[in-house]
Amino acid sequence: MGDDRSKMLVEIGDRPILWHVMKIYAAQGVNHFILALGYRGQDIKRYFLEYGPLARDFTLTLGAAPAVEYHDSHPEEGWRIVFADTGRHAQTGARIRKVARYIESDTFFATYGDGVADIDLVALLAFHRHMGRVATLTGVHSFSRFGVVQTNGQGLITGFQEKPLVDALINGGFFVFEGGIFDYLGGGDGVILEREPLQRLADEGQLAIYEHTGFWRAMDTFKDARAMNALWRESAPWKIW
């Protein structure tokens, strides 16, 4: 899925966060990707078209018939990527519907391009199949963006808790869908997966939730990007490759 804010090209380390998301899947045997492109879609295409030369040593022979000789293997050998232009204004549900013709299996993964996790995709898929529903959403615990003030109930502050872990689960953005999901995505470009489609699935008992208790982080702000870059330099908990 895409995002008109196109955070997917913001770099973590020296690679766009989209690359990190794809590496999480590729490390677990999923290397067929469909990118639902919108705003800055041309930049995403250009990044991957230029990725080989930029990532490897090569010799270029100039002349009437220029030739390139690479001196090592491609770092992402075997990746197959469909670049699908779904329109600048298409929302998440519409983007999935628009790439239906490129999906070659009855069951498929979907995710956003700006969130990473040390998620076990094999376990996620097994859970989805066990539940036997149209869709599975990965639920994660997130830290509050604000500190919490603790009081004694009598007008006095007793302490502070800096950005505590929230008890409730939130949408972590790692989905598994059956082909039946397309029955819930009818309409124009304004179909937002997270609204009517997911609510309808839930109302009909067709939406399962897989709880991921490990690392998860989404990049919504510049501050998030800075924090994720710091994590990349230190430990990169999502680096499972």
Side-chain angles (χ1 to χ4, degrees), residues 49-113:
L49 286 171
E50 297 175 349
Y51 183 62
L54 294 177
R56 292 187 283 172
D57 294 345
F58 64 92
T59 297
L60 173 63
T61 302
L62 299 177
V68 176
E69 177 190 357
Y70 291 103
H71 301 295
D72 44 27
S73 62
H74 196 292
E76 274 65 60
E77 191 76 39
W79 284 21
R80 181 172 172 234
I81 308 172
V82 175
F83 297 87
D85 185 359
T86 55
R88 178 166 182 167
H89 301 294
Q91 297 294 329
T92 48
R95 292 190 190 281
I96 295 174
R97 186 187 70 244
K98 287 186 173 187
V99 302
R101 60 179 171 151
Y102 300 117
I103 297 172
E104 300 173 348
S105 60
D106 294 332
T107 305
F108 61 96
F109 291 107
T111 193
Y112 306 110

Side-chain angles (χ1 to χ4, degrees), residues 78-233:
W79 284 21
R80 181 172 172 234
I81 308 172
V82 175
F83 297 87
D85 185 359
T86 55
R88 178 166 182 167
H89 301 294
Q91 297 294 329
T92 48
R95 292 190 190 281
I96 295 174
R97 186 187 70 244
K98 287 186 173 187
V99 302
R101 60 179 171 151
Y102 300 117
I103 297 172
E104 300 173 348
S105 60
D106 294 332
T107 305
F108 61 96
F109 291 107
T111 193
Y112 306 110
D114 59 1
V116 294
D118 58 353
I119 187 167
D120 184 337
L121 296 174
V122 174
L124 169 59
L125 182 59
F127 175 84
H128 170 78
R129 287 174 169 161
H130 171 74
M131 295 301 292
R133 300 303 195 269
V134 171
T136 297
L137 175 156
T138 295
V140 300
H141 293 277
S142 179
F143 290 94
S144 169
R145 292 192 177 278
F146 306 97
V148 174
V149 176
Q150 299 168 327
T151 72
N152 65 357
Q154 299 177 355
L156 293 177
I157 293 175
T158 58
F160 300 89
Q161 189 172 2
E162 181 65 19
K163 299 181 179 179
L165 191 67
V166 178
D167 289 336
L169 293 173
I170 66 169
N171 175 9
F174 289 86
F175 299 92
V176 186
F177 294 129
E178 295 298 315
I181 187 65
F182 297 109
D183 295 335
Y184 296 80
L185 302 177
D189 281 358
V191 178
I192 301 174
L193 173 69
E194 299 77 13
R195 295 184 184 175
E196 195 274 338
L198 288 189
Q199 185 59 59
R200 183 179 156 202
L201 284 163
D203 291 344
E204 296 178 7
Q206 289 297 326
L207 181 60
I209 184 166
Y210 172 80
E211 184 174 352
H212 173 63
T213 58
F215 176 87
W216 174 86
R217 183 70 61 88
M219 187 178 64
D220 292 321
T221 65
F222 173 76
K223 187 175 181 180
D224 291 332
R226 187 171 58 186
M228 290 174 75
N229 269 291
L231 284 172
W232 179 253
R233 291 190 297 269

